[in-house]
Amino acid sequence: MNAPVKPDAIESALNQAGAHHLSNAHLDALEEETIFILREVAAAFERPALLFSGGKDSLVMLKCAEKAFVNTKGPSGSQGRIPYPLLMIDTGHNFPEVTDFRDLRAKELGAELIVRSVEDSMARGTVRLAHPGESRNVHQSVTLLEAIEEFRFDALIGGARRDEEKARAKERIFSHRDSFGQWQPKAQRPELWTLFNTRLQPGEHFRVFPISNWTELDVWQYIEREQVALPSIYYAHQREVVERRGLLVPVTDLTPPKEGETVETRTVRFRTVGDITCTCPVESPAATPGEIVIETLAAEVSERGATRMDDKTSEASMEKRKKDGYF
């Protein structure tokens, strides 16, 4: 079971943090780079959009976008606004705490929120499930590509980080996609310093990842420093779970216990949030960003490795999804 962080590892991390007064000075450089990229997208593309799920990474990006655009004044002294819409590809199987929070933040910022649903793709016949219980997560690619065609987006800003898993580790900040929406390794452009080649042919687009150089620890330090509000399920709460293949699977209508499995109530939190059918919590008493920073210091398993059932199906599953047009 890889979910809980060992108590002695947390104690060691606490001693380390206390002795060296864990610095977050590097966050200024990360924030500056992210704001530069967000403004570069606004300047270089005609129809960009920011992928916004209501998760912690997209909320950190939204905070940086707020600093880049909303907290600035226009020429007439008017309040700034985020110059591109927020886009959510909804599987219909998301945690309600997250979708409610997504809607709240978009409303608070006065941002345009576009939601496109995998269920709509199913109704059109462009997505067909192998069986009713199949996870819809993998089919997000189809709905995403349909949304790109519908709105003629030429750049999509995403919250992927290089430390999440292997396929993302080699990703460019400005990732070129062909006219079929697919990632082609040989078509990627060199990225020297902060010089980005944003030239496109008709029908092509970019996926842009402003927080590529952040780690999970950076994100939580930033959330603590900037007091970024998150959906409640990121913090410790009581939840019914079952142990399955080394993960804690939440007991829901979509993920009921299987025959022979024992339902237990544990104190858990989510390190990442996504489709209910493939996202698992970890056992944790951490109730504040500061406590999660300490836990993250001691973590021995990556964020996705500890929480995602879909990424465990194959070492190459994320690579295949990327080539199909995902994230």
Side-chain angles (χ1 to χ4, degrees):
M1 173 62 70
N2 58 25
V5 178
K6 297 175 182 176
D8 57 342
I10 293 178
E11 184 177 351
S12 173
L14 275 169
N15 292 334
Q16 182 184 12
H20 300 289
H21 302 290
L22 187 64
S23 170
N24 62 16
H26 66 293
L27 296 181
D28 291 334
L30 290 172
E31 180 189 71
E32 182 179 355
E33 180 187 59
T34 299
I35 288 175
F36 171 80
I37 294 167
L38 290 169
R39 287 175 171 164
E40 182 75 3
V41 171
F45 297 95
E46 294 182 2
R47 295 177 178 274
L50 191 153
L51 292 168
F52 181 62
S53 65
K56 69 181 189 308
D57 296 324
S58 60
L59 284 162
V60 163
M61 280 205 309
L62 198 63
K63 181 66 177 179
C64 291
E66 194 177 348
K67 289 192 174 188
F69 303 111
V70 180
N71 294 346
T72 59
K73 298 288 185 182
S76 61
S78 60
Q79 187 71 35
R81 61 187 298 275
I82 298 174
Y84 25 73
L86 312 181
L87 173 64
M88 165 75 170
I89 304 301
D90 194 339
T91 64
H93 290 165
N94 292 294
F95 291 95
E97 296 94 335
V98 179
T99 51
D100 290 348
F101 198 83
R102 172 202 68 190
D103 296 344
L104 174 66
R105 284 299 291 135
K107 185 177 181 181
E108 286 175 345
L109 285 173
E112 179 186 2
L113 174 64
I114 299 170
V115 179
R116 287 296 178 267
S117 169
V118 173
E119 290 184 353
D120 290 338
S121 298
M122 293 165 60
R124 286 190 291 269
T126 51
V127 167
R128 295 182 180 180
L129 302 183
H131 54 82
E134 182 188 6
S135 172
R136 300 175 180 178
N137 207 43
V138 70
H139 299 295
Q140 282 181 300
S141 305
V142 175
T143 308
L144 176 59
L145 294 177
E146 290 174 346
I148 291 170
E149 184 175 0
E150 177 184 356
F151 293 97
R152 293 188 290 126
F153 291 130
D154 53 6
L156 289 177
I157 307 165
R161 306 189 321 268
R162 289 190 172 119
D163 75 322
E164 290 184 78
E165 53 79 53
K166 296 174 182 176
R168 299 189 179 194
K170 60 185 178 184
E171 184 60 282
R172 298 284 199 276
I173 291 177
F174 281 69
S175 178
H176 177 269
R177 303 303 166 102
D178 65 18
S179 57
F180 296 99
Q182 295 178 324
W183 180 78
Q184 300 292 349
K186 293 183 179 179
Q188 303 307 308
R189 285 86 183 270
E191 292 185 340
L192 304 176
W193 303 286
T194 54
L195 300 175
F196 302 112
N197 182 345
T198 58
R199 186 173 299 175
L200 286 175
Q201 297 297 320
E204 299 175 344
H205 70 274
F206 273 97
R207 307 289 173 86
V208 185
F209 305 110
I211 64 170
S212 276
N213 293 328
W214 297 49
T215 65
E216 182 185 11
L217 180 61
D218 297 329
V219 168
W220 277 109
Q221 285 187 272
Y222 190 77
I223 289 167
E224 182 185 30
R225 188 184 80 169
E226 300 292 326
Q227 299 182 357
V228 179
L230 298 183
S232 59
I233 63 174
Y234 275 110
Y235 301 107
H237 59 282
Q238 296 277 301
R239 183 176 291 269
E240 287 189 337
V241 297
V242 296
E243 292 189 14
R244 186 181 303 163
R245 293 193 298 168
L247 297 171
L248 296 178
V249 178
V251 176
T252 69
D253 292 341
L254 297 169
T255 51
K258 296 181 179 179
E259 186 176 353
E261 291 182 331
T262 302
V263 177
E264 301 176 85
T265 300
R266 302 267 191 99
T267 301
V268 299
R269 68 175 177 87
F270 284 85
R271 286 176 70 178
T272 183
V273 297
D275 191 279
I276 291 173
T277 61
C278 61
T279 307
C280 298
V282 295
E283 196 160 18
S284 167
T288 67
E291 292 174 355
I292 294 175
V293 166
I294 298 301
E295 274 197 356
T296 306
L297 276 170
E300 297 177 346
V301 180
S302 71
E303 179 180 325
R304 296 188 72 92
T307 62
R308 298 297 293 253
M309 286 184 279
D310 51 344
D311 292 346
K312 287 181 174 292
T313 56
S314 164
E315 283 286 327
S317 58
M318 181 60 79
E319 186 77 8
K320 181 180 183 306
R321 295 180 70 189
K322 186 167 72 170
K323 288 182 177 178
D324 289 343
Y326 179 66
F327 92 79

